[in-house]
Amino acid sequence: MSASHDRAPDGPAPDGPAPRRRMPRAEREALMLDVAEQIFGEQGYQASSMDEIAARAGVSKPMLYHYYGSKERLFLACLRRARDGMRAAILDGVGGGSRPDEQLYLGLVHWFRFIDAHPALWTMMVDEGLLEFGPAAEEIESIRAEHTELIAALILAQSPPGHADTLEVELVAAAISGAGERITRWRARRPDLTPELTARHLMQLLWTGMSGMARGEVWQL
């Protein structure tokens, strides 16, 4: 009697569902933050829901809560990742320059490129509804303060030791940071302005004054 029915047939196994790859924790966290950033940017903080974020990320709602605890903490995680990304982008630009003016220009270019690559993130950061959410408002203000410190360090780097007025440097750095933020909002309506062209135009305003500060020039009425 033949026993052929007792052994597997020759040739490849029948088609079937491929085994599901287990996603590493870091990759899953990044995916959830990517989706959350997109939804927060599209809908605003108040209108966004954990249900939709979980569904679009392809995870369960309990898993989303296990990782982040609440919508507020998820939003803060998005902001903190954005803070790291912005800082890295600016420092990468500054590090590519050999002169102070070139460093400032490249820092601006990389800032605008980062925003172009993360439009939902920028929308999320300027959400007026967050004014009532203390921790998020504090985090956004901390990001602004960090940018101001980076700009102040650039100004001080081009000034002779002991020559710069620290208060004046801080004020000018805050003004540059604020101007960059306002121009970023305005530029959203001007898709013809590349990061390079925007930074070049902004340098026309900024560098004349900053180079004068480095030479010790003082404006008087």
Side-chain angles (χ1 to χ4, degrees):
M1 183 174 63
S2 172
S4 60
H5 62 281
D6 292 329
R7 58 187 177 85
D10 294 334
D15 290 340
R20 189 171 181 179
R21 181 178 73 89
R22 183 175 178 83
M23 185 179 293
R25 180 184 179 94
E27 189 176 331
R28 186 182 296 113
E29 287 179 344
L31 173 62
M32 287 188 282
L33 289 177
D34 287 343
V35 171
E37 177 184 307
Q38 190 66 36
I39 292 176
F40 284 135
E42 290 172 356
Q43 303 178 14
Y45 174 77
Q46 299 297 343
S48 299
S49 73
M50 295 289 272
D51 293 274
E52 183 174 0
I53 293 170
R56 282 172 58 173
V59 301
S60 67
K61 186 176 176 181
M63 177 178 284
L64 188 61
Y65 273 98
H66 173 71
Y67 273 71
Y68 294 104
S70 66
K71 185 171 81 168
E72 291 86 351
R73 287 174 61 184
L74 175 59
F75 189 86
L76 283 171
C78 289
L79 284 180
R80 286 165 184 153
R81 185 176 71 159
R83 178 179 188 165
D84 292 342
M86 289 178 183
R87 179 180 179 83
I90 294 170
L91 290 176
D92 186 49
V94 170
S98 57
R99 306 187 315 270
D101 58 331
E102 186 183 22
Q103 291 175 333
L104 179 59
Y105 167 75
L106 291 174
L108 290 168
V109 168
H110 281 239
W111 155 260
F112 289 123
R113 285 179 182 171
F114 181 88
I115 296 301
D116 285 355
H118 302 83
L121 171 63
W122 178 249
T123 303
M124 182 183 83
M125 289 182 62
V126 296
D127 183 354
E128 296 296 332
L130 292 172
L131 294 176
E132 299 177 0
F133 179 27
E138 291 171 7
E139 185 66 27
I140 291 171
E141 189 56 37
S142 180
I143 292 172
R144 291 189 178 114
E146 187 169 277
H147 292 171
T148 299
E149 290 170 6
L150 285 172
I151 296 167
L154 274 178
I155 298 173
L156 289 171
Q158 63 159 325
S159 302
H163 181 75
D165 181 326
T166 304
L167 179 60
E168 183 178 77
V169 168
E170 291 178 2
L171 188 151
V172 171
I176 293 172
S177 178
E181 184 174 323
R182 181 57 197 158
I183 288 171
T184 301
R185 294 193 187 205
W186 171 78
R187 183 172 168 266
R189 304 189 299 273
R190 296 294 304 270
D192 54 315
L193 283 175
T194 64
E196 293 78 10
L197 185 57
T198 306
R200 188 172 296 278
H201 287 321
L202 190 52
M203 287 294 290
Q204 289 290 99
L205 167 67
L206 299 178
W207 192 250
T208 302
M210 289 176 63
S211 58
M213 287 174 61
R215 294 191 299 269
E217 296 179 6
V218 178
W219 176 84
Q220 296 185 34
L221 188 62

